[in-house]
Structures are given as C-alpha cells and as structure tokens.
Amino acid sequence: VSIQAQIIALLKRLCREHGTAVMLVTHDMGVIAETADRVAVMYAGRVAESGPVRDVVKNARHPYTSGLMGSIPALGGEQGKLTQIEGSMPRLTEIPPGCAFNPRCPHAGERCTVERPELLPAGRSFAACWLYDARGVGPKLRQPEAAHG
C-alpha cells in the first residue's frame, strides 16, 4: 500500500509538471477516487457510464454503476446491507443483444433487449442507458415479480 501511494503521488506530480494526462485501468475505487478527475465505468467491454469522478461515485446514473457503487463497503459510520447485482457477467463471446446489462438490470424494458444504447447525457455524466433517452422513449420498467409464498 505504501508503494502504491508513492506511485500515485509520482504520477500526479508528473501530470502537474508536464501538463499531461494518465489513463489508469483499475478495479480499485480508492485509487480512482484519489487520482482521477474523470472515470469511465465499463461493463462487458463497453463504457456504461462516464463523467466526473464525484458525480459518478455519488450519483451513479447507469444501473450497473449504481450496483457497483452500492457493493463497496463504507468506512466508518453505519454499515448497511451491501448491494448485490443479481446474475453474472456474460462471457464476451455470449453478450446478449441490446444492452449487455439487460439480463441483470432491475429497470430493463423491451427496448433494452433489442437495441444497444450509446452514451446519452445523464446529468453531468453520460450513461449508455435508455432511461436517459431525451426523446422519452426509454424502457417500460419491468414490474417486480410477485412473491411466491
């Protein structure tokens, strides 16, 4: 961890001194929060959401990003139940038609299963989700299944 902190500090210093940018590819949200100005969240090889780090972390727009942020335990304070994203990642050779996240998405509608969304404006971020289609033709939300008892 101390070597990681030194490398991050060096990267930040070099960027400042040379007016350059660095692209980091990581699953470590701590590194992202510490180093990045902007973030792109990927799912099944495509960008699902991109925007300023604070906006994406605090106000995720894509359902995958929202689930991802909800699965990170908070340090200190009250520990609530972590979010679990149902299902599993598709194999890259078996990506479903439409939005790749649609089989796992709690908001998926019929359009999500047949048409893949590009990045659409969603607040200060962009999300590849039909929920943000400005034409108002987003998905009809799935109704929760009735409880069996």
Side-chain angles (χ1 to χ4, degrees), residues 88-132:
S88 58
M89 278 282 295
R91 294 177 188 262
L92 293 182
T93 57
E94 298 173 6
I95 295 176
C99 174
F101 190 62
N102 85 70
R104 305 175 71 190
C105 182
H107 304 290
E110 187 176 328
R111 185 177 188 191
C112 305
T113 65
V114 295
E115 194 176 346
R116 183 172 65 192
E118 296 299 323
L119 288 171
L120 299 166
R124 292 184 57 197
S125 300
F126 291 86
C129 182
W130 292 121
L131 293 172
Y132 301 99

Side-chain angles (χ1 to χ4, degrees), residues 72-82:
I72 300 169
L75 293 176
E78 197 172 303
Q79 268 311 50
K81 186 176 180 186
L82 297 179

Side-chain angles (χ1 to χ4, degrees), residues 7-88:
I7 292 171
I8 290 170
L10 175 62
L11 288 172
K12 289 169 79 172
R13 183 176 57 84
L14 290 171
C15 286
R16 265 192 323 273
E17 289 175 0
H18 297 281
T20 60
V22 172
M23 184 169 84
L24 296 172
V25 179
T26 182
H27 286 103
D28 188 326
M29 292 306 295
V31 169
I32 292 167
E34 177 66 27
T35 61
D37 297 320
R38 298 186 57 79
V39 63
V41 176
M42 297 186 73
Y43 183 81
R46 292 183 50 92
V47 175
E49 181 169 353
S50 70
V53 170
R54 285 190 187 271
D55 291 340
V56 172
V57 170
K58 299 281 187 202
N59 194 17
R61 299 298 182 137
H62 191 279
Y64 173 68
T65 308
S66 182
L68 188 63
M69 295 303 127
S71 69
I72 300 169
L75 293 176
E78 197 172 303
Q79 268 311 50
K81 186 176 180 186
L82 297 179
T83 301
Q84 179 177 336
I85 301 173
E86 297 297 325
S88 58

